[in-house]
Amino acid sequence: MTDPTRSNGDSSSSRLPGSKPAPVDPLTDRAGEESPGVPGFHTWRGVYGFVFAGFVIVVILLVLFSHVYA
């Protein structure tokens, strides 16, 4: 007879029903920080910063052009 909490030696399914997984430290967990695949940027934070800076520059240029050519 086999143990009902185990199936085919898979350690991930050996937890008892209702047991909680071990807590994950957010400072050392790097699973959410995957590379964006954009040349020149290593993190998504860099991509978002670049897009935000570009938006701010466009808004400033629109304000300047509206005053100059009004």
Side-chain angles (χ1 to χ4, degrees), residues 17-55:
S19 65
K20 295 182 181 178
V24 176
D25 185 12
L27 298 177
T28 60
D29 182 29
R30 300 289 184 201
E33 293 185 15
E34 59 190 31
S35 176
V38 180
F41 296 101
H42 300 290
T43 63
W44 281 107
R45 180 175 285 192
V47 174
Y48 294 142
F50 179 78
V51 170
F52 182 72
F55 173 75

